[in-house]
Amino acid sequence: MRDWRGLLLIGIAILLTSCRAATIEVAVPFEVKETIVEEKLTDGAIIMYTTTQENGGEEFDALSIAYLEGDEEKGWTNEGSNHWEYKGNAPLTVYYRDIYDYSSQGEILSRFQLTYGQVESADIVSIEGSETGNQYVNLKIIDIEGKRYFFEMKKYPYIRALNKEKNVIAEEKPRR
């Protein structure tokens, strides 16, 4: 009888030491090819990453956003925004996403408006965003291994891409 209890305690100890908190890559809904942005929040993070997907026998890298709660010590849980986006080979792809954080009672605790995308054209040297279409601000381009992206925790309905002569070569505007 004592041997059974000893084996049980050893089994529980092994089980407890093998249980670890989920990493960011495990918590997101799709397989992460590359993490582009990890924006830390008070009780979590918003992650922009690439994931390899397939459609009609063609493989491509799609952008995805994940909203996670937790931290490195306690682990991460996926709280939503679970789909990828892909528009093909345009000079500039722009995506918008609103992410909501809800209480257990269903009340909105916070809302995050995101503008993000990928720069495909080598002619694009800067990206600008505007809330109204009047005053534009420069958006940071993130360069990772020759691929370029942008990510803003703000909604910019008006996006324009400029070449080195400051000419607009790609533009995104709200539909009227």
Side-chain angles (χ1 to χ4, degrees), residues 33 51-56 58-62 84-86:
K33 181 175 181 182
T51 177
T52 302
Q53 296 296 321
E54 182 184 335
N55 187 15
E58 178 189 350
E59 274 195 3
F60 52 89
D61 290 344
W84 51 265
E85 301 194 73
Y86 179 74

Side-chain angles (χ1 to χ4, degrees), residues 64-85:
S64 188
I65 296 286
Y67 172 52
L68 308 173
E69 286 190 353
D71 58 35
E72 296 298 330
E73 288 181 20
K74 298 175 190 164
W76 300 95
T77 59
N78 181 351
E79 295 298 319
S81 189
N82 298 322
H83 68 279
W84 51 265
E85 301 194 73

Side-chain angles (χ1 to χ4, degrees), residues 37-159:
V37 173
E38 185 178 320
E39 186 72 33
K40 297 285 187 178
L41 306 171
T42 304
D43 60 351
I46 294 176
I47 309 300
M48 183 173 90
Y49 63 98
T50 59
T51 177
T52 302
Q53 296 296 321
E54 182 184 335
N55 187 15
E58 178 189 350
E59 274 195 3
F60 52 89
D61 290 344
L63 280 177
S64 188
I65 296 286
Y67 172 52
L68 308 173
E69 286 190 353
D71 58 35
E72 296 298 330
E73 288 181 20
K74 298 175 190 164
W76 300 95
T77 59
N78 181 351
E79 295 298 319
S81 189
N82 298 322
H83 68 279
W84 51 265
E85 301 194 73
Y86 179 74
K87 291 184 182 175
N89 292 330
L92 177 73
T93 55
V94 181
Y95 306 108
Y96 303 98
R97 181 80 52 84
D98 287 355
I99 296 177
Y100 296 90
D101 184 19
Y102 296 96
S103 70
S104 57
Q105 292 79 30
E107 297 172 9
I108 296 174
L109 298 174
S110 53
R111 174 182 179 204
F112 306 102
Q113 293 185 299
L114 308 177
T115 304
Y116 62 100
Q118 186 167 0
V119 180
E120 293 285 348
S121 172
D123 295 332
I124 296 172
V125 297
S126 65
I127 305 225
E128 297 178 334
S130 173
E131 294 179 81
T132 62
N134 295 326
Q135 295 181 336
Y136 283 82
V137 296
N138 196 42
L139 307 182
K140 179 183 173 191
I141 294 177
I142 304 159
D143 192 337
I144 297 179
E145 295 182 16
K147 294 189 179 186
R148 298 182 303 154
Y149 307 91
F150 61 97
F151 174 89
E152 292 291 326
M153 297 249 326
K154 187 172 195 173
K155 186 167 186 176
Y156 289 111
Y158 298 87
I159 299 287

